[in-house]
Amino acid sequence: EVQLAESGGGLAQPGGSLTLSCSASGFDFGATGMRWVRQVQGKEVEWVAGISSDAALIRYAIPVRTRFTISRDNAENTLFLHLNDLKLEDSARYYCLKGMYGIVGMRGQGTQVTVSE
């Protein structure tokens, strides 16, 4: 059974930083591209970043590409998203999914990021 468990969200001030983690199990994580998406309640899901299985290919959505860093630890079956220089508009629930691109797929519970002054 595929399981994805996100953690690390919380409250941050504008300009602050957070690191999100996604613990994966139930599939060959080291052979699977992964991505982060986010969603504000009541709004569409937004693709944030994707990383290939070997981390050789990384892509970011334009709004975050100079501020967020996606990474992975295949030995620990864990995906990360480092959020820097947070902005109010980064407030959302963040999810990790299998595959590098797109907004459709099985999601876990997600982790809430709230940026507030």
Side-chain angles (χ1 to χ4, degrees):
E1 178 187 3
V2 173
Q3 292 191 345
L4 300 165
E6 302 91 343
S7 62
L11 179 64
Q13 293 185 333
S17 300
L18 289 170
T19 296
L20 309 184
S21 300
C22 169
S23 178
S25 62
F27 63 101
D28 189 349
F29 180 81
T32 305
M34 298 291 295
R35 64 195 136 121
W36 288 94
V37 303
R38 64 187 181 184
Q39 186 173 27
V40 176
Q41 192 171 8
K43 297 190 176 182
E44 292 186 354
V45 178
E46 177 185 17
W47 177 83
V48 174
I51 185 169
S52 62
S53 60
D54 61 359
L57 181 63
I58 291 175
R59 294 290 185 265
Y60 297 98
I62 291 174
V64 309
R65 65 183 179 181
T66 63
R67 302 182 294 115
F68 292 5
T69 302
I70 189 172
S71 64
R72 64 191 297 158
D73 184 340
N74 286 349
E76 297 294 331
N77 285 5
T78 304
L79 179 72
F80 301 99
L81 186 67
H82 308 278
L83 291 66
N84 298 308
D85 189 22
L86 282 162
K87 302 181 184 299
L88 297 176
E89 55 264 38
D90 293 321
S91 295
R93 195 158 194 88
Y94 286 71
Y95 302 87
C96 64
L97 286 80
K98 294 171 61 180
M100 277 193 69
Y101 301 106
I103 60 173
V104 177
M106 191 205 80
R107 296 186 284 180
Q109 294 296 312
T111 187
Q112 179 67 38
V113 171
T114 302
V115 184
S116 178
E117 299 177 354

